[in-house]
Amino acid sequence: MRIQFEIKENLPEIIEEIMNSERWQTSVKEELSGRTTVVIRDQAYGSEATIEIYATSIEIKTAWSKYSYRIFVTNDIVWCEYNGAYRGLLEQVLLPTITPKESLLNSDVTESSLYGNEPKKLREYAEDNLKLKQFRRDNFNEQKNGTAPFDHPKRVYDEFIKEDYIVTSKDKEKKE
C-alpha cells in the first residue's frame, strides 16, 4: 500500500528527534554532500532503521519489515508518504513523531494490492481489507473470527472507533 498525508511536524523538528531521541541510539553512518545517512537502533528490540536526511526530505527504511517512509516538503507543506503493509502504517517503534494533520481515513491510498493504481480513500481501503480478511476466514477455515484491533493499524482503528461512537441524548444532557 502507498499512501500520502500531510503532517503537523516540520523537517527540522523531525531531524532533531532522529538525532537526539532517548528512545533509540543514533549513529551517523555517512555524510556526503547533501545527504546524511543515519542508523537508529532500539536496544530493547534489537531492531534498527536506516534514515537518509536531505535538504528537503527524509527517507526512513525499517529493517525487519522493509517498510519505507518519505517525509518531504512541497509548497511549504510537509507530507509523509508510506509504502508498506496496511497493518504497519505508523506502527513501527523506530519512527520519529509523525502526526497526520487530518484524519488518516480521509487520505488517498494511491497504490495497493486491492485496487492497483486506482486511488481510494483509506477509509474505503480499510473496510474492503476487513471484508477480504473475513472472506478468507469464512472460506478457508481460518481459526480467527470477526474483526479485532490487530486487523488495523492502531491509529486507523482508533479513527474508526471515534467515527462509530454515537452521542446519545443522555450523553448530551450529562455534558450540559
Side-chain angles (χ1 to χ4, degrees), residues 15 19 26-39 51-54:
I15 292 168
M19 300 304 281
T26 304
S27 304
V28 176
K29 196 170 164 185
E30 184 176 57
E31 288 187 81
L32 297 173
S33 178
R35 182 187 81 198
T36 301
T37 304
V38 174
V39 174
I51 302 172
E52 292 183 348
I53 302 170
Y54 300 91

Side-chain angles (χ1 to χ4, degrees), residues 6 67 100 106:
E6 187 177 350
Y67 303 152
N106 296 326

Side-chain angles (χ1 to χ4, degrees), residues 1-2 109-120 125:
M1 171 180 89
R2 184 182 306 269
V109 175
T110 57
E111 184 181 318
S112 70
S113 59
L114 289 178
Y115 305 117
N117 292 328
E118 182 183 348
K120 296 282 185 175
Y125 180 88

Side-chain angles (χ1 to χ4, degrees), residues 133-142 144-145:
K133 285 180 188 236
Q134 191 59 48
F135 173 81
R136 288 179 180 151
R137 289 174 183 147
D138 293 344
N139 292 289
F140 298 105
N141 294 323
E142 290 189 18
K144 297 176 185 174
N145 291 319

Side-chain angles (χ1 to χ4, degrees), residues 65-144:
S65 57
K66 304 289 188 227
Y67 303 152
S68 66
Y69 293 85
R70 184 171 67 100
I71 301 166
F72 60 98
V73 179
T74 302
N75 299 325
D76 294 327
I77 297 172
V78 183
W79 294 89
C80 178
E81 178 182 75
Y82 169 74
N83 189 7
Y86 168 63
R87 289 177 62 173
L89 177 60
L90 297 174
E91 295 296 314
Q92 288 74 42
V93 172
L94 292 174
L95 272 185
T97 304
I98 299 173
T99 310
K101 212 162 200 178
E102 297 177 1
S103 170
L104 277 172
L105 295 172
N106 296 326
S107 300
D108 287 322
V109 175
T110 57
E111 184 181 318
S112 70
S113 59
L114 289 178
Y115 305 117
N117 292 328
E118 182 183 348
K120 296 282 185 175
K121 296 291 183 198
L122 183 59
R123 174 182 289 103
E124 187 175 356
Y125 180 88
E127 290 168 351
D128 288 348
N129 188 56
L130 280 177
K131 287 177 191 171
L132 180 60
K133 285 180 188 236
Q134 191 59 48
F135 173 81
R136 288 179 180 151
R137 289 174 183 147
D138 293 344
N139 292 289
F140 298 105
N141 294 323
E142 290 189 18
Q143 296 300 315
K144 297 176 185 174

